């Protein structure tokens, strides 16, 4: 499978303000350029979801996170470094993002797709790449965070696999990443931790 071509195709759609359907380190998600408010509005429309509800973003590394939040609580760095499973961190205040991806209080949830140490060291082996590594590489090359929200209509169950995604959702996006890339997509949501600047830690979802 030509991962480079798939990533290039996805990036071309994202640059044009389009919406993609893609596997993450957790579940299949609907994504777009998190800095483009018109693209983000399309995601809300596809999901039939109120814009009052914020969206989770994916970043390729802590440097990208640092660019898009005003201040990283020191504990966040420790959490990311010792983390051994998918974890979304809600930071106190985002910046350089579309207004409609942040919560009413300005906070923003961002996750770095979890890739195990062996794959990070070896990279793709024999032409195979996990969905988490695919996400990281896509975001790294796009050079902006991506929206990552479950590929379902709001209120309906989140899809555990590509085959669980409703045709209505598949047909509404501008590009669908081939489902063969979904290796190691767990089908389970990430844990969510909300951090404050004064050391506050709140576990939203374990």
């Amino acid at each position: 499978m030509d991962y480079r071509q798939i990533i290039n195709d996805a990036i071309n759609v994202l640059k044009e303000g389009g919406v993609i359907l893609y596997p993450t380190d957790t579940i299949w998600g609907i994504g777009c350029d998190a800095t483009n408010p018109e693209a983000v509005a399309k995601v809300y429309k596809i999901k039939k979801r109120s814009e009052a509800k914020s969206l989770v973003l994916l970043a390729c590394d802590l440097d990208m996170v640092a660019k898009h939040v005003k201040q990283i609580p020191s504990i966040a760095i420790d959490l990311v470094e010792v983390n051994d499973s998918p974890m979304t961190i809600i930071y106190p205040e985002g910046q350089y993002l579309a207004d409609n991806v942040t919560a009413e209080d300005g906070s923003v949830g961002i996750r770095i797709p979890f890739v195990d140490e062996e794959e990070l060291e070896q990279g793709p082996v024999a032409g195979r790449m996990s969905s988490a590594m695919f996400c990281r590489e896509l975001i790294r090359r796009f050079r902006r965070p991506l929206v990552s929200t479950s590929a379902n209509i709001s209120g309906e169950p989140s899809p555990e696999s590509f085959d669980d995604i409703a045709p209505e959702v598949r047909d509404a996006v501008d590009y669908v990443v081939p489902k063969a890339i979904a290796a190691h997509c767990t089908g389970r949501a990430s844990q969510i931790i909300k951090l404050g600047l004064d050391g506050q830690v709140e576990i939203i979802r374990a």
Side-chain angles (χ1 to χ4, degrees):
M1 184 174 295
D2 191 342
Y3 292 98
R4 292 182 182 179
Q5 186 59 54
I6 293 169
I7 287 173
N8 285 341
D9 291 344
I11 287 175
N12 287 336
V13 171
L14 294 167
K15 285 181 176 179
E16 293 296 321
V19 176
I20 65 172
L21 180 61
Y22 68 118
T24 72
D25 55 330
T26 57
I27 60 178
W28 276 84
I30 301 170
C32 70
D33 177 357
T35 69
N36 183 330
E38 289 79 16
V40 174
K42 293 179 185 177
V43 171
Y44 279 111
K45 183 176 181 180
I46 290 171
K47 285 184 66 73
K48 300 180 181 178
R49 175 172 170 161
S50 167
E51 290 199 15
K53 297 181 179 180
S54 58
L55 298 168
V56 170
L57 311 183
L58 296 183
C60 61
D61 53 32
L62 272 172
D63 287 340
M64 182 175 283
V65 173
K67 180 178 179 181
H68 293 282
V69 299
K70 288 196 174 180
Q71 186 175 347
I72 296 182
S74 58
I75 191 174
I77 298 173
D78 296 331
L79 287 171
V80 170
E81 289 180 347
V82 303
N83 179 48
D84 61 358
S85 63
M87 177 179 61
T88 299
I89 296 177
I90 300 176
Y91 296 90
E93 189 171 5
Q95 63 179 0
Y96 309 128
L97 296 166
D99 290 340
N100 46 355
V101 299
T102 57
E104 291 183 356
D105 63 359
S107 63
V108 61
I110 304 178
R111 184 172 78 255
I112 299 171
F114 177 75
V115 179
D116 65 47
E117 290 297 326
E118 183 177 354
E119 186 175 15
L120 279 175
E121 292 175 1
Q122 295 182 354
V125 177
R128 300 187 65 182
M129 177 187 287
S130 71
S131 52
M133 182 67 90
F134 173 83
C135 280
R136 279 208 192 185
E137 185 62 12
L138 172 61
I139 299 162
R140 185 187 69 79
R141 289 180 53 188
F142 186 51
R143 303 176 67 181
R144 299 172 203 164
L146 293 184
V147 164
S148 176
T149 182
S150 56
N152 62 307
I153 302 301
S154 185
E156 296 182 357
S158 298
E160 294 185 4
S161 68
F162 180 84
D163 294 334
D164 294 328
I165 300 171
E168 178 183 1
V169 173
R170 297 185 208 175
D171 294 343
V173 302
D174 302 297
Y175 180 76
V176 179
V177 170
K179 71 174 182 178
I181 288 184
H184 309 304
C185 192
T186 67
R188 299 186 300 273
S190 73
Q191 58 180 313
I192 301 176
I193 298 175
K194 186 172 185 177
L195 303 181
L197 293 176
D198 298 323
Q200 304 98 320
V201 178
E202 180 183 358
I203 298 176
I204 305 296
R205 182 170 66 203

